[in-house]
Every structure is written in C-alpha cells, then in structure tokens.
C-alpha cells in the first residue's frame, strides 16, 4: 500500500516502512538542499500534526522526527484539494506508530521538578539526602 500527497513543493509517498519526500521545484530544492529525495523511516516519527488547507490558505502536515538523539521537523504544505490525502497519511502514521508514546508525548521540565522538590525540602517534608537523590535521578532523565 502506498499513500500519496501532492504538496505544493514536494511529493510525499508513504508506505508501511518509510516516507519519501521528493522535491518538485527548484525553489524547494534551494531551500531544503540539493540532496534530492529524503527518506524517513516511519519508526523514527514521534509526532505528526496536520492543519487543513482552505481555499485561501495552504495547509500543512508536520512530522517530528527523532534520529541520533535529535528531533527535527519536516513540514509539507498542500492545497485544499489534498486535505483528505493529508488526513489519511496522518492517521496512517499514527496507527503505524500506535505502540509508541505518540500523542502522549512527555513534556518534562527538569528545573521545574527540582524546584518542586526543593520546596518539599524547605518544608522539611523530605530530607536533604532524599532531595539529593531525586535531583540526581531527575538530571539523568532524557525526553
């Protein structure tokens, strides 16, 4: 099975394992590099957002990709005639990655968490040793 999205500057092809973004216009190539097609493994996508197009404004599908410990975003703009295709692709990606923490993406503020525990320490609810242990644990958390 292959899903297609005819973007304004790109063509998006999605199958069970990957997404291939093909740059269509010279401007898109210049803005995104002359590297040609971009292949994204579906398993590396951690979030997908979609904004439907109207007849006046283009819509977009935004993919958040995690690779080599970094998160990057890739955005493909499309016309209103492609709204259904974009929704199908977003739904397909979500279902394919359903076993991962997808929309339940963790928002974690280490400094905020440490400040909460510091208040507990100051209120003498936890001991200095407990605070230090929690601080070490929090500083090691990667999101």
């Amino acid at each position: 099975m292959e899903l297609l999205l005819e973007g304004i500057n790109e063509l998006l092809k999605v199958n069970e394992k990957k997404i291939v973004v093909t740059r269509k216009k010279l401007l898109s190539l210049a803005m995104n590099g002359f590297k040609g097609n971009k292949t994204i493994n579906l398993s590396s996508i951690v979030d997908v957002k979609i904004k439907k197009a109207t007849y006046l404004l283009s819509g977009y599908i935004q993919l958040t990709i995690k690779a080599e410990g970094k998160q990057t975003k890739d955005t493909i703009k499309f016309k209103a005639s492609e709204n259904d295709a974009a929704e199908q692709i977003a739904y397909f990606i979500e279902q394919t990655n359903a076993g991962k923490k997808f929309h339940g993406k963790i928002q974690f503020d280490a400094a905020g968490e440490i400040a909460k525990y510091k208040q507990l320490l100051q209120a003498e609810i936890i001991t200095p040793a407990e605070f230090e242990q929690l601080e070490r644990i929090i500083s090691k958390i990667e999101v």
Side-chain angles (χ1 to χ4, degrees):
M1 176 175 92
E2 186 171 78
L3 299 171
L4 298 174
L5 174 68
E6 185 77 31
I8 294 172
N9 294 314
E10 296 94 5
L11 175 65
L12 193 71
K13 293 180 185 178
V14 181
N15 65 34
E16 290 85 4
K17 295 185 180 195
K18 65 184 177 184
I19 296 174
V20 178
V21 181
T22 304
R23 311 289 181 207
K24 295 190 317 186
K25 297 182 179 177
L26 186 59
L27 178 60
S28 179
L29 284 169
M31 291 175 64
N32 296 297
F34 291 92
K35 298 174 187 166
N37 296 350
K38 179 177 184 178
T39 301
I40 304 164
N41 290 328
L42 274 182
S43 61
S44 67
I45 297 174
V46 295
D47 194 22
V48 61
K49 292 186 173 120
I50 182 172
K51 180 176 185 263
K52 285 185 168 186
T54 65
Y55 288 100
L56 297 175
L57 300 171
S58 60
Y60 64 84
I61 187 164
Q62 184 179 63
L63 307 171
T64 304
I65 305 148
K66 187 170 186 176
E68 299 173 9
K70 296 183 210 172
Q71 282 193 358
T72 58
K73 295 185 188 273
D74 207 331
T75 304
I76 293 88
K77 293 182 180 182
F78 57 88
K79 295 179 182 177
S81 61
E82 293 293 312
N83 278 338
D84 289 342
E87 283 185 313
Q88 286 177 347
I89 287 172
Y91 179 77
F92 178 77
I93 293 168
E94 288 172 354
Q95 293 306 306
T96 301
N97 291 328
K100 295 167 35 177
K101 51 181 185 193
F102 204 70
H103 283 293
K105 209 162 73 167
I106 297 172
Q107 298 294 320
F108 185 77
D109 175 19
E113 289 298 312
I114 291 171
K116 289 178 193 175
Y117 288 113
K118 186 147 187 116
Q119 288 177 343
L120 294 175
L121 174 64
Q122 291 168 346
E124 298 182 352
I125 296 171
I126 62 173
T127 66
E130 289 171 323
F131 174 76
E132 289 173 16
Q133 183 180 13
L134 290 166
E135 190 175 35
R136 278 193 303 276
I137 291 168
I138 291 169
S139 66
K140 292 179 182 177
I141 294 174
E142 291 183 36
V143 179

